[in-house]
Amino acid sequence: MIVWVNGRLQDEHEPAISAVDHGITVGNGVFETLRVYSGTLFEWDRHDERLRRSAAALALPVPSSAVLRDAAAAVLAANDLAEARVRITVTGGPAPLGSGAPDPALPTLIVAAAAPAAWPTTARVAVVPWTRNE
């Protein structure tokens, strides 16, 4: 899988983030996952707004919507995916150990995409005549 990390495409196994990234050391990060149908990011505006709202609660800067869309498009193209799910992750980036605030100019941005899981085409259902939990 090819992923986008801090402005460039790279193999998913290539080292990408600092061992002292606040996303790792203190869990300072947010993510958003969205579905892609026929190459189109589903409900982009809602997902973008939610990512920004979540990041604001943690005082994390988020790149512009255009940067995020371009990163998602690049990852989809690099992985030759028209049907996919895209995950956008923003962390505080490298920072001192502990809960001290990271440098707001150095967040980590990761965008990854994968084919969606296949669901079974059918399911068994039983219908009963009584009401449960009235």
Side-chain angles (χ1 to χ4, degrees):
M1 175 190 321
I2 303 298
V3 298
W4 172 283
V5 181
N6 293 334
R8 74 180 190 90
L9 292 170
Q10 65 180 65
D11 183 87
E12 67 177 303
H13 298 293
E14 184 180 332
I17 66 171
S18 169
V20 293
D21 188 292
H22 259 211
I24 304 254
T25 60
V26 297
N28 185 13
V30 295
F31 69 91
E32 190 68 26
T33 302
L34 58 152
R35 183 70 160 83
V36 177
Y37 295 99
S38 301
T40 301
L41 298 161
F42 181 72
E43 291 290 344
W44 170 258
D45 291 337
R46 286 184 176 183
H47 287 283
D48 186 46
E49 288 171 16
R50 186 167 52 193
L51 178 72
R52 290 175 192 290
R53 194 170 47 249
S54 298
L58 297 175
L60 290 174
V62 178
S64 72
S65 182
V67 168
L68 297 180
R69 285 184 80 112
D70 288 349
V75 168
L76 291 168
N79 290 289
D80 195 27
L81 294 169
E83 302 296 321
R85 58 181 181 199
V86 171
R87 180 175 166 136
I88 301 168
T89 305
V90 180
T91 74
L97 293 176
S99 57
D103 183 340
L106 300 174
T108 298
L109 170 63
I110 301 169
V111 180
W119 294 96
T121 56
T122 62
R124 296 181 74 102
V125 177
V127 179
V128 295
W130 57 87
T131 302
R132 182 174 177 199
N133 296 332
E134 298 173 1

